Amino acid sequence: MAEKDYYKILGLDKNASQEGIKKAFKQLARKYHPDLNPNDKNAEEKFKEINEAFQVLSNPEKKEKYDKYGDSAFSEEDLSQFRNFNFDFEDLFKDFGFGDIFNIFGRGERGYESDYQEGEDIRYDLNISLKDAFLGVKKTIKIKVKERCEECNGTGGKESKTCDKCNGKGKIRTVKRNGFAQFVSVSKCDKCNGKGFIITKRCDKCNGKGFIEEEQELEIKIPRGVNNLQYLRVQGKGGIGINAPNGDLYVVIHIKNDTEFKREEENLFIEKKIDLLTAILGGTIEISGIDKDLKLKIPPATQSHTVFRLKNQGMPVLNSSQRGDLFVKVIVEIPRVGKLKEKKIKEALK
Ligand SMILES: [Zn+2]
Ligand SMILES: [Zn+2]
């Protein structure tokens, strides 16, 4: 058998990377794929050759053998196996783990649902205090994450056999004749549910589910100034995807109502009781701010429900060094008669 130059077949030199090999194969496959060149024997032959070259060079073990010994490293049988494969777009590319066959050939639709399914997004509701939102906080949350079972590679089976109904294709072609017309329909194989194989022995590790659910602890960093119902996205921690990315985890922040402070965006609001004398004569009162004690000057003759504004004593503004303001509504406490000496009141009102 003549020595074959697999690199040359793919139009590459010997230093080609795995990426380069895949890329070259994709390009050539697009050109010579028999489905795109019906009844063209040359294209078919060429495609077999490309495939053979790719099968060898894309496999590190085979590639090493080939680099050392050339194609004599493989038996005739091996080589014919590299060449003979099902001329089916999906099967072909699925085996090679590309998963983007439809992108390559520009086909808009996906084959079957079981072939491609994006992982679902998961929501986690996290309660924090207003103080936590003020300071920013790290919280450890526990979530149940589904991870693909490594043991069975997500199939759920320890042992499996090719589906005999669809011959491993996962779909069934039905031809119906109606007079001269012929209708071909392709449907998902009901025996294997489109998978192309049937599990004969369940995977013990995942109990046949194909995934393992485990509790994971995740540390969530909550930034200063976070607001109610804002969320943090943790990429890839949602449901598992099939030939598709995992879903994401959305941590939705709920800020518990604070007994003292009300919040509107970056501003805080409190009420503070002051006594009648301070309201009338004026004075300085102490306020517990969100992070420190503050002093507020009350001018003489202050009416009840007057609102004072303390600049930059509110919540931090998210992703900024600015702060909102603190609004203090003073409530004048009118003492019950008898508690305060009449004389003192009269004095104050002079
Ligand atoms: Zn398993
Ligand atoms: Zn089947």
Side-chain angles (χ1 to χ4, degrees):
M1 197 178 184
E3 188 83 357
K4 276 185 192 155
D5 190 339
Y6 290 141
Y7 291 99
K8 207 170 159 190
I9 289 168
L10 294 179
L12 299 164
D13 63 44
K14 291 214 189 288
N15 303 317
S17 65
Q18 279 301 325
E19 274 307 300
I21 291 167
K22 273 186 193 170
K23 211 172 148 190
F25 173 71
K26 272 192 194 181
Q27 271 169 3
L28 290 167
R30 185 191 276 159
K31 196 168 163 192
Y32 292 107
H33 197 287
D35 282 7
L36 301 173
N37 300 277
N39 304 321
D40 184 341
K41 278 276 153 207
N42 284 336
E44 189 179 320
E45 201 44 45
K46 182 85 185 155
F47 188 66
K48 281 184 180 177
E49 211 174 54
I50 299 162
N51 188 52
E52 182 182 322
F54 178 71
Q55 293 256 12
V56 172
L57 297 184
S58 65
N59 179 314
E61 238 172 78
K62 289 179 189 159
K63 184 176 182 293
E64 202 190 322
K65 264 188 179 177
Y66 173 76
D67 288 343
K68 269 191 196 156
Y69 308 110
D71 66 350
S72 56
F74 309 103
S75 68
E76 284 285 337
E77 248 169 291
D78 279 344
L79 290 174
S80 75
Q81 259 188 11
F82 297 159
R83 290 167 69 90
N84 293 326
F85 59 94
N86 196 325
F87 279 125
D88 181 286
F89 279 130
E90 283 174 68
D91 287 355
L92 170 65
F93 284 92
K94 203 157 56 191
D95 287 349
F96 296 170
F98 281 32
D100 61 352
I101 157 82
F102 294 102
N103 299 337
I104 302 174
F105 294 97
R107 289 189 182 177
E109 60 192 75
R110 289 280 168 197
Y112 297 99
E113 270 177 34
S114 59
D115 288 334
Y116 180 93
Q117 203 181 320
E118 280 177 23
E120 58 181 338
D121 293 332
I122 294 176
R123 174 182 172 149
Y124 184 97
D125 293 286
L126 180 63
N127 291 309
I128 62 168
S129 68
L130 187 66
K131 282 259 162 68
D132 286 341
F134 177 84
L135 294 168
V137 70
K138 277 182 189 166
K139 291 271 180 189
T140 303
I141 64 168
K142 278 182 184 169
I143 52 160
K144 280 194 172 159
V145 181
K146 285 178 186 170
E147 300 271 18
R148 173 187 278 259
C149 176
E150 296 289 334
E151 191 76 25
C152 62
N153 206 17
T155 61
K158 195 175 185 179
E159 283 166 24
S160 63
K161 59 171 189 182
T162 305
C163 174
D164 52 358
K165 190 167 179 182
C166 63
N167 267 324
K169 284 184 187 166
K171 56 190 171 186
I172 292 168
R173 243 170 103 97
T174 326
V175 182
K176 276 187 192 143
R177 280 175 198 285
N178 186 353
F180 293 107
Q182 174 176 299
F183 298 97
V184 181
S185 66
V186 181
S187 57
K188 181 154 89 175
C189 173
D190 55 350
K191 191 165 180 182
C192 63
N193 202 23
K195 289 192 183 82
F197 58 86
I198 287 161
I199 308 278
T200 51
K201 209 171 187 185
R202 267 206 205 164
C203 171
D204 301 326
K205 199 176 170 192
C206 64
N207 232 336
K209 285 184 292 198
F211 60 84
I212 288 165
E213 198 167 43
E214 55 173 25
E215 203 164 59
Q216 275 190 8
E217 287 193 348
L218 281 181
E219 193 177 70
I220 305 292
K221 221 177 141 189
I222 296 156
R224 281 159 51 86
V226 72
N227 219 322
N228 210 21
L229 297 180
Q230 284 181 324
Y231 60 80
L232 296 140
R233 178 166 161 259
V234 187
Q235 212 177 350
K237 287 294 177 188
I240 33 175
I242 301 165
N243 295 323
N246 286 355
D248 299 327
L249 170 73
Y250 286 87
V251 180
V252 182
I253 305 296
H254 297 267
I255 299 168
K256 286 178 264 186
N257 280 338
D258 193 85
T259 49
E260 283 175 62
F261 295 94
K262 298 254 178 308
R263 177 189 190 182
E264 267 175 40
E265 300 297 323
E266 66 269 27
N267 294 323
L268 290 173
F269 300 82
I270 52 165
E271 289 187 355
K272 180 78 185 168
K273 287 177 180 162
I274 56 169
D275 62 52
L276 187 61
L277 283 179
T278 310
I280 295 167
L281 304 172
T284 302
I285 59 166
E286 294 246 321
I287 309 272
S288 308
I290 184 106
D291 58 335
K292 59 174 181 277
D293 289 338
L294 302 164
K295 285 191 171 19
L296 174 65
K297 239 184 159 176
I298 305 289
T302 290
Q303 301 293 311
S304 190
H305 295 73
T306 303
V307 176
F308 296 93
R309 179 180 188 167
L310 292 165
K311 281 216 149 216
N312 301 320
Q313 297 301 332
M315 293 293 282
V317 178
L318 195 65
N319 300 323
S320 143
S321 57
Q322 287 178 311
R323 276 179 74 173
D325 301 331
L326 173 63
F327 293 85
V328 184
K329 187 194 269 182
V330 294
I331 310 289
V332 180
E333 272 196 309
I334 311 289
R336 290 194 187 142
V337 180
K339 279 207 171 170
L340 203 72
K341 280 180 183 150
E342 205 179 319
K343 202 175 133 199
K344 217 175 173 187
I345 300 172
K346 280 183 178 162
E347 231 169 70
L349 295 175
K350 254 181 218 168

